[in-house]
Every structure is written in structure tokens, then in C-alpha cells.
Amino acid sequence: MSATSDPGFRHFISGVWGRPEDGASIALSDPATGAARAPLPCSNAQDVAAAVAAAATSGWEDSDRADRLALLQSVTALIRSRAEEFVAAISAEIGAPVDFARKQQVGTALDHLQSMLAAARAAEDDAPVAPDLPQHRVRYDPMGVAALVTPWNWPLNQVVLKVGAALLAGCPMVLKPSELGSRTAMMFAECMQGAGVPRGVFNLVLGGADTGAALVAAPAVRVVSFTGSTAAGRAIATAAAPQFKRTVLELGGKSANILFADCDLPVAIRQGVAHCMRNAGQSCNAASRMLVAREIYDDALALAAAAAEALPVAAPDRPGDHFGPLVSAGQWDRVQRLIRSGIDDGARLIAGGPGRPEGMAQGYYARPTVFAEVAPHMTLFREEVFGPVLTMTPFDSEEEAVALANDSAFGLAGYVQTGDPVCADRVARALAVGMVQVNGCSRAPGAPFGGVKQSGLGREAGLWGIRAFQDIKSISGAARV
Ligand code: NAD
């Protein structure tokens, strides 16, 4: 244990809160000021082994469907009753403005829990292959111990998507949240405990990549659900492969937003800039590459630059619809490096740029930034920034727009703005991504979430998220009794 680490940090193993004791710790700081915070003590290899053993012997695989539903319902009610505490924790931990944390971060998590519960209630875990074939059945059985590894950018939502789905699927689990989102995860664990989760069904270990890697490698783990960077996802898939553990991977993105000439331009720009910049640009599905029909390109540049320059920047604890800091010094450095790469590669800076916004001398604030004439060979067109940086690229035809959108190693989300529903459908089908949103339509909470190519494997949310933790068994010759 580090002598200076925060005594408030605790892991939760086999129903008992305890302090990680191995001496490793991770430095933490306040995103709004940059001031050092007490470091995070890390769970060690023995802690991880104990957590996995507790899960493996919990017997949750044999639980009744009604008990699974009742438990998650109680957890949801507790989160709802502590919503303001979660808002404060998320805002302090990652620098999210409080109103955004309330409406989006906590609101989305609760919506996902509700839609998961509804999906589980409506689904059968043992049903005939066809109505006239009662002796030919399909069963969805829990896979066994689940390792859940989450990032910091939506620290409650990403936890509930995994824990809720694993619980409903019948899998006991060990959660390793991001080192930058551990307080939010501890509050979530308190809700699990408060709801009466049986001993060992849910375990929480704390730490960074080393703790996560130890968890993924544990022999009793059967399924790994990971959300985070493509680089870490690759390491996890590689580590899981020798034992053929299933991996569900929700990874990075560089999503295109295609604006056709017949779109409602002011609305499309307002929504497009806001979507790219929300959560200070730290969302995997951020609409970060705007592709614009050449006829409207100049107007689009002017509107986008004005929208970015007009974004108010303020401290996370201030109410209102504004823009907060990035999560960490590392993230700030990364964003600065990528902004400089845009300038060096010859893209035209039309809003923002390197450095801090005016009046923000400390903390990890970056300037909402827009680049024009961003070409496919440039780093900014290809690499995920995970910060408030929008790129704009003109196109001359629908074919070229789709080709530019698909010219990416990633394939998470795609956005289309057009007044022509036939074009919208054609382009939505042509995009090589996991999710498409047309004319600013929000995603339904129960819709499958995930990507293709280097954006990952598998889906979260709704019934898709639950099935990700189950094996499929076909039984022929025996009706259900
Ligand atoms: P990260 O990959 O650095 O870390 C994510 C989590 O993995 C953390 O808990 C970390 O400690 C752990 N980890 C890192 N290396 C590991 C390893 N080798 N083995 C086991 N665990 C390991 O990502 P981040 O900085 O926390 O989050 C940002 C990234 O997450 C972005 O790339 C973003 O696009 C992605 N993301 C994707 C989605 C999605 O649903 N597709 C959602 C949110 C964020």
C-alpha cells in the first residue's frame, strides 16, 4: 500500500470491502485544476485471483431468471435514488460539466438499465426452434465467470452496460474499471451491495492495465467484455485467444458525418459540431470527420467555425450547457500533438488551435478546434483524437462520400444528413459501421451498440448485450419440462 494513497479507495471481493495492499499505485489529478489527488492503490495478482475464485464459486449460473431481474431492478432503483451523488462523482472524476453528467452520463446509464430489464423480461432463455418443433429447442446458458474492463469516459454507463447484461445472463463477474473512473465504480458497487447481490457474484478490483491484464489472463474467466482503446483491445484479444475465451470488444472510432447538399445546413452543423465536441470530444462514437457536399462546403465551414468558437468553456461544477476539461494531462498532450499534426500536414485551421482556451490557465482544457481541407493521407483524418477536434472534407458525389467515410481502419458509427429518404437509406446501408444515425435521430437505448473493423467485435445493450454472455445450446428430442 502506498503511504499517501487515498484511504477511501476500496475493492470489493467476495462480499467484503478491503484495501488493495500491494504497494503499486497510480497518480491521479483533478481535471479542472491539474492539482494532484491522492493516488489510486491497485489490487494485486492475489486480489484478482481471489475475486475470480469468488465469482467461480458463487453459483450465479444456477440462479432463477426472476432473481436476476429482481436484483438488477433493485440496483437500478438505488442508482436512481443516488443519482445526484453519481453526478458529483462523475463530474469531479472526469471533469464532465454537472448538467451533462446528470442528463447524459447518469441519464443514459438509467435508460440502458431499463431497456436491458425490458429486453430480458421479453426474451426466453429456452425456446423451441420453431413453434411446431417443441422437441427441438435452443437454450441460452451463462458462459461462466465474466471479466469486465471499462474506460473512464462514460464511467457509469459503461459499467452498467456490462454488469447489467452479465447479471441477467447468469454470469458471475469481476469488474476492473478505469483507473480514472474508480470512485464512480465504487459507488456502483455500493449499490450492488445495497441491493443484496449474493457473495461473490459481483467483485470489484482496482488498478490499471496490469490489474486488467491479470484479470483477463485468469484461467477461470470464460468471457471478457472490454471497452477502451483499439491498442488495449488488441492486447486483450491476443491474451484471450490461447484459451478461446470469448471477447466482446468495444473499441475506438473515427466516425464520419456526411452532409449532403439538400440537408438542413444550420441544423446539421449545430448538431454535428455539438456531437463531435460533447464530453469534450471524449466519446468513442463522436462524429469527428465531417464530409460535406462541395456545393455547401464554404457555408458549412463558416457555420462550423462560428459554432466551435461560440462554445462556452467553464469549470465542470458550474451548471449550464458548456464545455469542460479533458480528463488528464496525458489526454491533453495527445490532443495537442494531434492538433499540431493537422497544422504540420497542411490542413487549414479555421477555429481553435493549440493551447488552452482564454481564461483557463490551469486544468486540462483544450480549445474546440476545427480544421478544413483535411485529406485522407493526414493523421487527423485517420487517427482517433478523443478530444474536441472536428475535421472537414469536401466531396463531389455520393460514391465519393461513402468511399471517404469507409476509408478508415475504424467502423464504429456513421451519420447522414439529407432531405432525401432514399439516399439516406442507401448510404446507411453502404457505410461499413455498426451504427448509423440519420438527420440527428437519437439512438434508442435498447438498440445494439458496437462497431466493425478495428472498432471491435460483438454488441452491447438490450438483448444483444445479454446474449454476449451466453452460450447457445441446441437440444433435439426433448421438450422443455
Ligand atoms: P484504455 O484502452 O487505455 O483503457 C481502457 C481500460 O482497459 C482501462 O480500465 C485500462 O486500465 C484497461 N487496460 C488497458 N490496457 C489493458 C490491457 N492490456 N489488459 C487489460 N486491461 C487493460 O482506454 P481509455 O483511455 O480508458 O478509453 C478511451 C478509449 O476507449 C478510446 O479509444 C475510445 O474510443 C474507447 N471507447 C470505446 C467505446 C465503444 O463502445 N466502442 C466506448 C467508450 C470508449
Side-chain angles (χ1 to χ4, degrees):
M1 176 180 73
S2 159
T4 53
S5 62
D6 188 326
F9 282 117
R10 291 278 189 279
H11 53 207
F12 183 69
I13 297 172
S14 196
V16 179
W17 289 96
R19 186 164 174 74
E21 299 284 359
D22 80 339
S25 63
I26 294 176
L28 298 177
S29 57
D30 179 352
T33 64
R37 286 179 168 157
L40 174 78
C42 300
S43 307
N44 63 22
Q46 287 77 35
D47 298 326
V48 171
V52 172
T57 52
S58 69
W60 189 244
E61 293 91 331
D62 300 324
S63 57
D64 285 346
R65 165 194 163 92
D67 291 342
R68 298 176 193 173
L69 284 164
L71 178 58
L72 193 62
Q73 223 164 329
S74 303
V75 174
T76 306
L78 279 174
I79 293 173
R80 198 180 293 285
S81 73
R82 295 182 65 182
E84 280 306 306
E85 287 176 69
F86 276 106
V87 169
I90 293 169
S91 180
E93 224 169 20
I94 68 159
V98 278
D99 283 343
F100 179 81
R102 181 176 302 109
K103 242 191 336 227
Q104 298 291 328
Q105 294 271 1
V106 176
T108 304
L110 287 168
D111 287 348
H112 273 134
L113 283 163
Q114 290 301 357
S115 63
M116 242 184 276
L117 283 162
R121 277 190 208 104
E124 281 285 351
D125 278 347
D126 188 330
V129 171
D132 58 338
L133 295 172
Q135 296 224 327
H136 297 267
R137 295 148 50 201
V138 178
R139 277 188 61 81
Y140 294 93
D141 292 324
M143 290 191 73
V145 177
L148 314 177
V149 181
T150 54
W152 46 265
N153 59 328
W154 289 74
L156 178 62
N157 184 50
Q158 283 140 351
V159 164
V160 306
L161 275 170
K162 295 190 191 311
V163 174
L167 210 62
L168 292 172
C171 290
M173 69 202 83
V174 182
L175 168 66
K176 204 298 288 174
S178 167
E179 45 276 44
L180 304 179
S182 297
R183 283 204 187 280
T184 305
M186 279 175 55
M187 280 183 59
F188 173 81
E190 288 166 11
C191 293
M192 292 291 287
Q193 186 185 30
V197 66
R199 174 183 280 260
V201 171
F202 168 83
N203 303 273
L204 171 75
V205 294
L206 302 178
D210 290 348
T211 310
L215 174 58
V216 170
V221 165
R222 288 284 329 281
V223 47
V224 181
S225 179
F226 169 77
T227 300
S229 61
T230 295
R234 190 173 286 118
I236 285 171
T238 304
Q243 288 148 348
F244 298 100
K245 294 173 182 174
R246 180 183 294 170
T247 51
V248 179
L249 304 170
E250 302 291 351
L251 309 177
K254 188 76 191 176
S255 300
N257 183 9
I258 305 176
L259 274 58
F260 286 98
D262 62 356
C263 74
D264 183 337
L265 188 60
V267 171
I269 294 287
R270 197 181 64 237
Q271 287 174 347
V273 171
H275 197 281
C276 175
M277 307 282 177
R278 75 186 182 137
N279 214 25
Q282 303 164 124
S283 291
C284 53
N285 59 348
S288 56
R289 284 188 297 147
M290 192 178 275
L291 311 177
V292 186
R294 197 171 302 274
E295 303 96 289
I296 58 168
Y297 185 63
D298 288 343
D299 290 344
L301 295 187
L303 287 169
E309 295 286 2
L311 278 176
V313 182
D317 59 358
R318 277 251 313 269
D321 188 12
H322 58 81
F323 185 84
L326 300 173
V327 73
S328 66
Q331 196 63 23
W332 194 85
D333 289 345
R334 172 190 170 82
V335 170
Q336 300 305 314
R337 171 177 67 78
L338 285 160
I339 290 175
R340 275 193 297 274
S341 87
I343 296 169
D344 293 347
D345 284 348
R348 183 157 63 94
L349 184 63
I350 60 170
R356 291 184 160 73
E358 228 178 275
M360 294 293 176
Q362 41 167 243
Y364 308 131
Y365 295 91
R367 299 171 69 192
T369 295
V370 184
F371 279 99
E373 278 87 79
V374 178
H377 69 273
M378 296 179 187
T379 302
L380 261 190
F381 190 91
R382 316 204 77 81
E383 206 174 301
E384 180 181 44
V385 178
F386 225 55
V389 180
L390 176 68
T391 70
M392 300 185 69
T393 306
F395 65 81
D396 289 304
S397 67
E398 182 181 316
E399 293 67 32
E400 190 190 3
V402 169
L404 283 167
N406 288 343
D407 184 6
S408 173
F410 297 109
L412 189 56
Y415 305 87
V416 185
Q417 304 281 344
T418 173
D420 176 356
V422 176
C423 166
D425 176 57
R426 199 167 49 229
V427 173
R429 283 186 284 119
L431 291 176
V433 296
M435 307 175 278
V436 179
Q437 289 169 251
V438 176
N439 291 334
C441 181
S442 298
R443 291 169 34 74
F449 193 102
V452 302
K453 301 199 285 187
Q454 292 187 26
S455 290
L457 296 171
R459 295 292 179 269
E460 292 200 295
L463 189 58
W464 293 271
I466 298 167
R467 296 293 188 230
F469 290 98
Q470 291 173 321
D471 278 323
I472 301 171
K473 180 189 284 173
S474 80
I475 298 176
S476 303
R480 189 177 176 180
V481 288

